[in-house]
Amino acid sequence: MEKIPILKMGKFLLVTIQVDLYDRLALTLEEDLIQMVFKTGSKGVLIDISALSIVDSFMGKIIGNIAGMSSIMDAETVVVGMQPAVAITLIELGLPLSGVHTALNVEKGMALLESRMPPSLDDANDDDVD
Amino acid sequence: MEKIPILKMGKFLLVTIQVDLYDRLALTLEEDLIQMVFKTGSKGVLIDISALSIVDSFMGKIIGNIAGMSSIMDAETVVVGMQPAVAITLIELGLPLSGVHTALNVEKGMALLESRMPPSLDDANDDDVD
């Protein structure tokens, strides 16, 4: 029943994680997110974890999974709002979140995604038509 | 300890409510939000309640409070992502959320706020200087 909402913000998707993820919830989130990437054609996924003061190895794995799946679907993942203590824990747990971009807050994460988008693909297509 | 994160998205603030608000959490949210409006000078607050399948009279009151406080701080409040069942409940509870704008999703809520902003206030100030 419980679900983590996925918000479409322009070209990107935003997920705010506020509660501890347990197995079922994490699986639902992964599935919903991939479906949303498919349906909306989003090129970027922002995962806000500013509400989390603790990240365990399970959460680290889920974030890695989401990044991997999004990458296959041609979308990039940026984790934003990580608290300093969480960064320390992740490294101490041996989970450097490889393959995942990070940014200090949502705005910087969006700027990062924008900067990694190919320069106006639609315009290029228009040129091809000419 | 638990906190609902408030995300700054350009000119607006975004709050995603995913958990049931109890007294202390609601008070913290109200206080944090007003502080953020003050600090960032945001002109609009988006409250996403798409994760809520039930809204009780307490939640309705909190949303009304936030809208009232934001209004005093010269920011408008838009509630987005309301599920149909929630709309039915609110009316049956006799809580029509007066003074609160609503929109179907975050994107439409942002568009609504944009459309209600005074046309480029900064430009007007520049004209005054001339």
Side-chain angles (χ1 to χ4, degrees), chain A residues 4 21-31 58 62 66:
Chain A
I4 294 178
L21 293 182
Y22 49 89
D23 277 23
R24 178 88 58 89
L25 188 61
L27 286 179
T28 312
L29 174 61
E30 284 179 9
E31 203 178 302
F58 177 71
I62 297 301
I66 289 173

Side-chain angles (χ1 to χ4, degrees), chain B residues 3 24-25 30 38-39 41 43 60-61 65 69 86 89 101-102 108 129:
Chain B
K3 263 197 172 196
R24 177 88 59 88
L25 188 59
E30 285 178 8
F38 177 68
K39 262 195 289 186
K43 289 288 185 189
K61 184 171 155 282
N65 281 359
M69 293 174 192
V86 171
T89 314
H101 306 287
T102 49
K108 287 183 180 155
V129 174

Side-chain angles (χ1 to χ4, degrees), chain A residues 26-40:
Chain A
L27 286 179
T28 312
L29 174 61
E30 284 179 9
E31 203 178 302
D32 289 353
L33 197 54
I34 298 307
Q35 285 289 345
M36 276 288 275
V37 170
F38 177 69
K39 262 196 289 188
T40 61

Side-chain angles (χ1 to χ4, degrees), chain A residues 1 3 5 7-10 14 16 18-19 48 50-51 53 106-107 110, chain B residues 1 3 5 7-10 14 16 18-19 48 50-51 53 106-107 110:
Chain A
M1 191 75 177
K3 262 195 174 201
L7 307 178
K8 185 166 180 296
M9 313 273 319
L14 172 67
T16 313
Q18 299 176 13
V19 291
D48 173 70
S50 57
S53 48
V106 177
E107 285 187 315
M110 281 210 169
Chain B
M1 190 73 178
K3 263 197 172 196
L7 307 178
K8 185 166 180 293
M9 312 272 321
L14 172 67
T16 314
Q18 299 176 12
V19 291
D48 173 71
S50 58
S53 48
V106 177
E107 285 186 316
M110 281 209 170

Side-chain angles (χ1 to χ4, degrees), chain B residues 56-95:
Chain B
D56 56 10
S57 58
F58 178 70
M59 181 74 89
K61 184 171 155 282
I62 297 301
I63 292 173
N65 281 359
I66 288 173
M69 293 174 192
S70 303
S71 167
I72 292 176
M73 301 287 283
D74 194 22
E76 299 205 52
T77 304
V78 181
V79 172
V80 300
M82 191 184 292
Q83 293 184 20
V86 171
I88 295 170
T89 314
L90 282 175
I91 295 303
E92 285 184 348
L93 282 173
L95 289 165

